[in-house]
Structure formats: structure tokens, C-alpha cells
């Protein structure tokens, strides 16, 4: 049944990872900004000691980068369990909407209690979520205000910043298990999390929650948001080359299963919510199925249309759908944690 459903979507065949990534960068997100020429980290004074009932410290770190000879910095929050007898901690890098910790999309204490460390960053500390390309990282990359047609959009810039958060984690020595780092985010930041992992093989896991259009969901045959909708309201998330696919999805030499497949052979978990029709859970699921051949162990699921409450964590690419609306909920985190523990 799934085979026929996929056939009706007419998806382009998977290609080698480098080719898929090249297409996605050139045609959708723009090329990832260059690695910094230089990077350093400043520990700020406003550390919260004995956070989470004393189980963790929360440090505010300033990430200082030199990019193309220009200085750029942004803050991250590192919440690291105190108990040094437990070995190395797997790590979440959460690209968040807000600088809060905890946050309504980030149940910090519960994450710590599950044996994880957590680094979070607020996306607008990197560059604003709008068409202004003069501030933050955007202003550093395009100082003359001219962005080429394949120049980084805002998603690529937020992804680049999440990669710098991993650079910081690499300085933490034996505290962090660098073989178990997961980048995650919700909605526009779920799109960003997938692109972050696709372009940086240091991430062992990626999780996108409600990422939908131009994220986890295949566009061909998608319901809810279309390419035309998204480039009309949020053109700045993408490179200009993407705009020509508005109402023209059949001409795309790719579909979003390329994004998931570009993370192989590492692991990806995709989260959907029953009432998130704008993201289109079925197209997120079919995307995970279509990307599966790129992985050693593709999605493990029955050959039927999924039902609310289904979760398929066993393959290297997994998918789940919970009841409720577009939101990064505690249940999503619990299922993500379960996915990582299962594959550890
Ligand atoms: C809008 C947009 C979506 C996006 C969402 C979000 O709804 O159309 O593509 O995922 O915002 O980021 O919250």
C-alpha cells in the first residue's frame, strides 16, 4: 500500500548524499555559511549554579567567531548535569524560539533527569526572523546587502549557529558523549534542525518536530502549506533560487525526502501532530518512508496509513504522531529520548 501511495507522488529518485546536499543548498536553503576562521568561547558571569534542584549548572556562553575577517558573536545556554560519576552525557542542541531556560518547548529538568546534557540557543540572537539581511550573521555574510541567488537564507544561518554550539560542546572534554549529539527544533526550527544535521556529520541524531513544508514533508501531493505559501510569507528563510518552484513543485529536481536522506547513515526522527494539517503529517511520514533506502535500516512500520499514536522508532529513520496541535510538547521530547536510548 505505501509503495503505491509513494508512486503516486512521483518523487525524484534518491542520489548520493553530496549530490542531494548540493541541490538542496543551491535550490532551497542557500549554501551554508563558511566555517569561522577563528572561534572562542567566553563564559559569562550570569551562571545559574545548582539549577534543576541542584542537579545541573546552567552556563551562559558567548560564542565569538571571525567569519570572512569580520567579528560576530551570539549567546548559548549550556545546562550540564553535575554528577561526574555517570560517564559522558549524550547531548541535545535545541534551536529554540526564545532565550528561556526552561521554556515551554524545552522541559529542561526532565531532559536532565533522563541523563542528557542540553545546549540551547535562541535563533533570533543569530539573525532576525525577517527579510532584514543587515543584522547579525546576515550582515556579516552580505556586508554590501547583496545576496546571490544561492546565498544563505535565514534557515542556513540558524543551522550554522547550531553547528557552532557543537564546536563549544567539543571543548567540554569528557563531560559530553560526542557520539550521541542530537540537534532538534520545532517548526521553522525543525526545518533548521534537519538542515543542520544534513550539512554536519558530527551530529549523530536529528529530530524535527512539526517541520512540514520545506522541512520534513514531501511537497509533491502535499496538503496544507505549499511552496507558494511559504515563499510568499517567509522568502527570507530560503535562497532566491527556491522562489521559482512556487506552484511549480513538479519541476523541482528534488523533494524533501532528500533532506532526510542526506542525514544517512546517521539517524533521524520525525515528529508530527494529528491536528497539524498545515504541516501535513501524512506527507512527513511518506517523506520518511521515501528517504529510508538511504539508511542501513529504514523506517520499520506496517504497510498502512498511520494512525494517531503510532510511533516507529526502530529504524535509523523513525516517525511518530501524537494527538494535539502544532507544539513541541513533553510527549515529543519523551519519544525523542526513547528513540535515542533505543539506538545507543
Ligand atoms: C508558519 C509557516 C510554517 C512554519 C511555522 C513555524 O506556520 O507557514 O512553515 O513551520 O510558521 O515555524 O511556526
Amino acid at each position: 500500500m505505501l509503495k503505491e501511495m509513494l508512486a503516486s507522488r512521483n518523487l525524484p529518485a534518491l542520489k548520493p548524499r553530496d549530490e542531494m546536499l548540493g541541490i538542496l543548498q543551491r535550490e532551497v536553503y542557500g549554501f551554508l555559511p563558511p566555517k569561522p576562521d577563528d572561534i572562542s568561547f567566553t563564559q559569562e558571569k550570569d551562571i545559574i549554579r545548582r539549577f534543576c534542584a541542584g542537579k545541573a549548572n546552567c552556563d551562559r556562553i558567548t560564542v565569538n567567531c571571525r567569519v570572512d575577517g569580520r567579528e560576530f558573536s551570539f549567546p548559548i545556554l549550556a545546562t550540564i548535569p553535575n554528577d561526574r560519576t555517570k560517564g559522558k552525557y549524550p547531548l541535545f542542541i535545541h534551536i529554540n524560539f526564545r532565550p528561556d531556560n526552561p521554556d515551554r518547548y524545552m522541559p529542561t529538568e526532565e531532559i536532565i533527569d533522563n541523563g542528557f546534557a542540553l545546549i540551547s540557543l535562541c535563533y533570533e540572537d543569530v539573525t532576525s526572523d525577517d527579510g532584514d539581511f543587515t543584522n547579525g550573521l546576515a550582515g556579516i555574510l552580505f556586508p554590501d546587502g547583496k545576496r546571490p541567488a544561492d546565498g544563505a537564507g535565514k534557515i542556513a544561518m540558524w543551522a550554522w549557529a547550531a553547528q557552532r554550539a557543537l564546536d563549544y560542546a567539543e571543548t567540554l572534554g569528557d563531560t559530553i558523549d560526542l557520539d550521541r549529539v542530537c540537534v532538534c527544533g520545532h517548526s521553522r526550527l525543525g526545518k533548521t534542525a534537519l538542515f543542520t544535521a544534513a550539512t554536519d556529520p558530527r551530529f549523530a541524531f536529528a529530530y524535527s518536530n512539526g517541520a512540514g513544508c520545506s522541512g520534513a514533508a514531501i511537497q509533491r501531493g502535499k496538503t496544507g502549506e505549499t511552496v507558494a505559501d511559504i515563499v510568499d510569507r517567509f522568502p527570507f528563510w530560503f535562497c532566491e533560487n527556491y522562489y521559482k518552484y512556487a506552484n511549480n513543485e513538479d519541476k523541482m529536481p528534488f523533494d524533501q525526502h532528500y533532506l532526510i536522506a542526506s542525514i544517512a547513515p546517521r539517524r533521524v526522527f520525525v515528529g508530527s501532530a494529528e491536528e497539524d494539517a498545515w504541516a501535513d503529517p501524512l506527507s512527513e511520514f511518506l517523506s520518511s518512508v521515501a528517504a529510508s533506502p538511504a539508511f542501513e535500516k529504514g523506517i520499520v512500520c506496517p504497510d498502512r496509513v498511520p494512525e494517531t499514536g503510532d510511533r516507529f522508532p526502530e529504524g535509523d529513520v523513525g516517525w511518530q504522531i501524537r494527538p494535539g496541535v502544532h507544539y513541541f510538547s513533553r510527549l515529543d521530547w519523551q519519544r525523542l529520548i526513547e528513540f535515542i536510548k533505543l539506538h545507543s
Side-chain angles (χ1 to χ4, degrees), residues 97 186-189 191 210-213 225 230 233-234 237 278 326:
F97 283 88
H186 172 64
S187 208
R188 68 200 67 182
L189 302 177
K191 309 181 211 296
C213 182
E225 189 173 27
I230 206 165
R233 287 174 62 207
F234 306 103
W237 288 350
W278 191 234
H326 189 69

Side-chain angles (χ1 to χ4, degrees), residues 303-321:
D303 188 23
R304 60 161 171 77
V305 175
E307 292 159 11
T308 301
D310 274 342
R311 51 182 144 157
F312 307 128
E314 280 134 67
D316 296 330
V317 51
W319 181 81
Q320 61 123 344
I321 181 161

Side-chain angles (χ1 to χ4, degrees), residues 104-125:
R104 63 178 180 274
Y105 287 170
M106 190 172 73
T108 304
E109 187 173 356
E110 202 169 322
I111 293 167
I112 297 296
D113 286 346
N114 272 285
F116 286 77
L118 173 68
I119 294 180
S120 52
L121 59 142
C122 173
Y123 77 137
E124 290 205 282
D125 283 335

Side-chain angles (χ1 to χ4, degrees), residues 70-221:
R70 288 179 283 276
E71 306 295 330
F72 171 63
S73 40
F74 64 100
I76 59 175
L77 294 175
T79 310
I80 314 287
N82 286 325
D83 189 345
R84 288 286 169 274
T85 65
K86 294 225 170 111
K88 298 179 184 183
Y89 291 97
L91 170 71
F92 286 113
I93 294 183
H94 179 213
I95 313 162
N96 200 1
F97 283 88
R98 294 161 293 271
D100 304 345
N101 185 22
D103 174 76
R104 63 178 180 274
Y105 287 170
M106 190 172 73
T108 304
E109 187 173 356
E110 202 169 322
I111 293 167
I112 297 296
D113 286 346
N114 272 285
F116 286 77
L118 173 68
I119 294 180
S120 52
L121 59 142
C122 173
Y123 77 137
E124 290 205 282
D125 283 335
V126 179
T127 182
S128 62
D129 187 1
D130 57 23
D132 177 358
F133 278 78
T134 63
N135 71 82
L137 181 59
I140 298 285
L141 294 175
F142 308 117
D144 57 3
K146 289 197 195 98
R147 187 169 65 117
D150 60 5
K154 297 287 175 103
I155 286 177
M157 295 183 206
W158 300 323
W160 179 94
Q163 295 171 355
R164 306 292 68 83
L166 180 49
D167 295 342
Y168 172 70
E170 287 180 337
T171 68
L172 295 177
D174 277 352
T175 315
I176 302 297
D177 182 352
L178 293 170
D179 294 328
R180 284 188 295 160
V181 180
C182 176
V183 58
C184 58
H186 172 64
S187 208
R188 68 200 67 182
L189 302 177
K191 309 181 211 296
T192 306
L194 293 175
F195 188 67
T196 304
T199 50
D200 189 338
R202 294 176 299 169
F203 290 91
F205 296 91
Y207 177 68
S208 75
N209 196 69
C213 182
S214 311
I218 44 175
Q219 298 298 145
R220 287 174 174 82

